[in-house]
Amino acid sequence: MKTKTHPLLGFHSLLMMLFIYVPIAFIIAYSFNSSRLAADWSGFTLDWYVSLFKNRRVIEALSNSLIVAGVSTVVSTMLGTMAALSMRTLNRKMRAGMGGLLYLPIIIPDIIMGLSLLVLFTQFHIPMGKLTIILAHITFSMSYVYVVVSTRLAGMGKQLEEAANDLGASAWQTFRYVTFPQIMPGVVAGALIAFTLSLDDFMVSFFVSGPSSTTLPIYIYGQVKRGISPEINALCTILIVVSVTLILLAQYILNRGKGQKKQSVLPF
Amino acid sequence: MRKSSLSVLPVLLWLGAFLVIPMLIVVGMSFMGRDATGGVVAGFSLSSYARFFDPLYLGIYWDTIVLSVLTTVICLLLSYPLAYYIANSGPKKQTWGLILVTIPFWINFLIRTYAWVLLLRTQGIVNNLLVDIGLIQEPLQMLYTRGAVLLGMVYTFIPFMVLPIYVALEQMDKKLLEAASDLGASSWKAFWHITLPQTKSGIMTGSVLVYVSTTGMFVVTDILGGAKSAMISNVIQAQFSGARDWPFGSAMSIIFVITSLIMIALFNKAMTSRHLKVKEGR
């Protein structure tokens, strides 16, 4: 519904958008700036991208990030989807408890999650590395997958599954040919979100990564604390483009079905 | 229990092993002692909690609470009008507004914080601009100040405030506004007595998200703040990485979580009583 709004409101909103996007625009612009001393514009260059991809530590961080994101996406998508599906079979009391548990990773502060996992891994003598980062990422990604898939399930109804059942389909056949195709967009969107979350995570990874398992955000943190190099602008630009593209893709896939209620990829 | 509900077990076990048990260990560790080499000693002791009552740590925690409350209030004041504008726009503008507000969620906060280093440092864009237009002669020290930390926090968490408020505005019963205007209420009065109370769930969700996230965010202070702007999360992080006093770090984490819960409860109560007063006043 459109109601009349005060012109000042529009002006305020415009300023807010500038506030949000101008800093980001500067990072992107300066990744193409040929000056090493950053603040002044002295011509267009792709040098920082070239030197970025010649930097062995960046390539190693990139491959670590991709391995971690790949593995944790597969596992958390399976677990999150399973959680969403099995929630429907629980009674009300168990569903409430389980729902609360599944929302915990979204609600508890990242710092608490990170340090508690650090304590856990140390107590059980699990050496910090890619494995511990993967375990941590699965734990928080799973909840986001669960939220997306269960919203999709909620809008679906059980009639088709019941019909398949009445027509003699086995439980597996029902799942394979009726349930899964319907929730597929939710599962794919959930997986894309899990991948992005893993690729972007710093706070939790910071606590559970070992010296030999630097991921891209951890590498960026180290560089930013040491000072600025134009390579970092290039690396940040790449991460911005990748994350935003994956999320817009998730949003698109989730809402592609006709007649579906519009969904957002955010848990609000 | 039906056979199919057994499929909930793997998820339950996973969350038990990597979420519940680690947090219980942290609670347990907060009551343990520490030996001279930084190892953790089994046994029951309240010394970590007692240590927190050192004026140094209490001071840091007080500063953290002040900064977090300030961040929350500024975010609320900046975000409500924006959410209101988006919610009351036409469908196309609304979709775009939402997308634009959502995008920063998916840009790493580390990168967004770093953007402010580019802008604020002595040789940075803002200083150069101010010098160029002749407003100042010498570059200002903007980075590594408390102001920079506050700015960075507000910048990071604005989307956390806009979206819940937008959702609340979307869901409110707009017929009440028509009724109010039919009965002769000014638009300001209608906003105050109808829109604001009806969107309090959004205000609450947003404020809780912003408050808790600000308190737990050690990176913004680390990158934009100076030595004097340490927050409780920086101290906690230091106990786990550098200083290696895990019982103390655990105790501070527990205090952090409990005080956050208390703040949320107080806020919740304040919001409810205000809402009731509005109802009674009708």
Side-chain angles (χ1 to χ4, degrees):
Chain A
M1 188 180 94
K2 193 175 162 71
T3 51
K4 253 197 287 176
T5 51
H6 199 275
L8 266 179
L9 266 177
F11 184 63
H12 170 84
S13 302
L14 185 71
L15 285 182
M16 289 293 285
M17 287 300 171
L18 287 175
F19 177 53
I20 293 174
Y21 284 100
V22 164
I24 298 168
F26 268 112
I27 293 186
I28 299 174
Y30 277 83
S31 74
F32 300 109
N33 184 9
S34 62
S35 162
R36 177 162 267 282
L37 295 164
D40 291 309
W41 182 259
S42 50
F44 180 90
T45 180
L46 288 172
D47 286 358
W48 310 123
Y49 289 88
V50 175
S51 67
L52 191 67
F53 283 102
K54 282 185 187 149
N55 184 334
R56 257 195 34 231
R57 295 191 47 218
V58 171
I59 299 302
E60 204 190 297
L62 172 71
S63 83
N64 284 341
S65 273
L66 289 178
I67 293 169
V68 168
V71 178
S72 61
T73 298
V74 172
V75 181
S76 63
T77 304
M78 285 185 341
L79 283 171
T81 306
M82 235 160 111
L85 286 169
S86 53
M87 277 293 258
R88 301 193 303 170
T89 65
L90 299 177
N91 62 40
R92 249 181 58 201
K93 226 171 156 185
M94 283 171 71
R95 201 182 314 174
M98 194 65 201
L101 192 62
L102 277 160
Y103 268 103
L104 257 188
I106 300 177
I107 297 164
I108 56 168
D110 292 349
I111 183 174
I112 302 292
M113 187 163 185
L115 65 88
S116 67
L117 283 167
L118 166 68
V119 171
L120 176 86
F121 294 140
T122 315
Q123 292 298 304
F124 288 91
H125 304 288
I126 302 169
M128 301 298 160
K130 283 196 270 296
L131 175 70
T132 48
I133 308 181
I134 289 170
L135 292 172
H137 285 197
I138 293 169
T139 310
F140 63 71
S141 301
M142 190 164 96
S143 293
Y144 288 89
V145 175
Y146 160 76
V147 170
V148 176
V149 176
S150 61
T151 333
R152 180 90 194 177
L153 270 173
M156 195 174 99
K158 277 192 165 178
Q159 299 91 324
L160 281 176
E161 284 165 303
E162 279 160 8
N165 226 343
D166 290 345
L167 293 170
S170 69
W172 168 249
Q173 282 171 326
T174 308
F175 175 74
R176 172 72 186 79
Y177 296 105
V178 178
T179 316
F180 192 69
Q182 287 190 86
I183 58 167
M184 190 62 179
V187 176
V188 175
L192 285 170
I193 291 167
F195 194 84
T196 316
L197 285 172
S198 172
L199 204 63
D200 257 358
D201 176 73
F202 170 77
M203 292 278 263
V204 178
S205 311
F206 176 80
F207 286 97
V208 298
S209 64
S212 61
S213 55
T214 304
T215 59
L216 281 181
I218 295 176
Y219 178 80
I220 293 176
Y221 177 70
Q223 295 294 306
V224 168
K225 283 208 80 176
R226 247 189 272 152
I228 291 179
S229 85
E231 270 184 18
I232 288 304
N233 296 332
L235 184 54
C236 288
T237 303
I238 293 174
L239 261 185
I240 292 172
V241 171
V242 172
S243 307
V244 172
T245 310
L246 288 178
I247 285 308
L248 292 180
L249 193 64
Q251 181 80 40
Y252 172 75
I253 290 171
L254 201 58
N255 289 328
R256 205 176 34 178
K258 34 187 190 308
Q260 277 271 337
K261 199 176 173 298
K262 281 268 185 242
Q263 284 180 28
S264 168
V265 290
L266 288 160
F268 291 119
Chain B
M1 195 158 135
R2 270 187 290 165
K3 202 175 133 222
S4 55
S5 46
L6 281 175
S7 59
V8 82
L9 264 183
V11 181
L12 202 61
L13 288 177
W14 188 285
L15 289 175
F18 297 108
L19 191 72
V20 179
I21 290 176
M23 297 221 280
L24 291 177
I25 299 179
V26 170
V27 174
M29 188 160 277
S30 72
F31 293 110
M32 287 182 185
R34 174 175 178 260
D35 64 20
T37 56
V40 176
V41 192
F44 183 83
S45 136
L46 285 172
S47 59
S48 295
Y49 287 94
R51 213 181 133 194
F52 181 77
F53 288 93
D54 184 308
L56 170 71
Y57 297 117
L58 283 179
I60 291 176
Y61 203 20
W62 175 247
D63 287 349
T64 306
I65 291 176
V66 170
L67 181 84
S68 303
V69 169
L70 259 178
T71 305
T72 310
V73 171
I74 296 175
C75 275
L76 180 60
L77 293 178
L78 289 176
S79 303
Y80 202 104
L82 175 60
Y84 189 89
Y85 180 75
I86 296 175
N88 288 305
S89 300
K92 205 164 176 186
K93 225 171 167 182
Q94 206 169 114
T95 312
W96 273 106
L98 272 184
I99 291 175
L100 286 174
V101 171
T102 317
I103 284 175
F105 260 111
W106 303 106
I107 296 175
N108 198 320
F109 64 85
L110 199 61
I111 296 176
R112 285 187 286 146
T113 306
Y114 159 70
W116 285 101
V117 179
L118 267 185
L119 290 164
L120 295 181
R121 71 206 159 109
T122 337
Q123 302 298 321
I125 294 149
V126 175
N127 264 321
N128 280 11
L129 192 76
L130 290 177
V131 172
D132 284 350
I133 59 173
L135 215 61
I136 52 172
Q137 259 68 51
E138 290 285 299
L140 298 171
Q141 175 66 45
M142 290 183 284
L143 202 55
Y144 311 126
T145 61
R146 275 167 200 257
V149 175
L150 181 62
L151 177 69
M153 291 287 188
V154 169
Y155 182 70
T156 305
F157 295 121
I158 275 179
F160 286 67
M161 190 66 95
V162 179
L163 287 169
I165 295 177
Y166 167 80
V167 172
L169 281 164
E170 256 303 279
Q171 287 167 350
M172 72 176 273
D173 186 356
K174 294 206 168 100
K175 277 190 234 106
L176 286 175
L177 285 177
E178 285 165 33
S181 115
D182 288 349
L183 293 170
S186 68
S187 57
W188 178 247
K189 221 171 172 178
F191 172 79
W192 192 251
H193 290 288
I194 293 167
T195 311
L196 209 55
Q198 278 210 65
T199 48
K200 80 173 193 339
S201 68
I203 296 174
M204 261 175 51
T205 313
S207 303
V208 167
L209 277 172
V210 171
Y211 178 83
V212 176
S213 314
T214 304
T215 318
M217 172 67 91
F218 62 88
V219 183
V220 174
T221 348
D222 231 18
I223 295 175
L224 299 177
K228 271 189 274 176
S229 353
M231 302 217 314
I232 191 81
S233 48
N234 298 84
V235 183
I236 293 177
Q237 178 248 314
Q239 299 309 315
F240 281 93
S241 44
R244 286 197 67 91
D245 188 342
W246 288 15
F248 185 45
S250 302
M252 271 193 293
S253 310
I254 307 289
I255 293 170
F256 159 44
V257 171
I258 290 175
T259 39
S260 291
L261 289 176
I262 293 173
M263 294 289 281
I264 293 166
L266 285 176
F267 184 61
N268 199 348
K269 207 168 162 231
M271 293 289 280
T272 325
S273 56
R274 210 187 133 261
H275 183 54
L276 283 180
K277 255 184 257 155
V278 169
K279 261 193 179 159
E280 279 160 12
R282 265 207 306 230

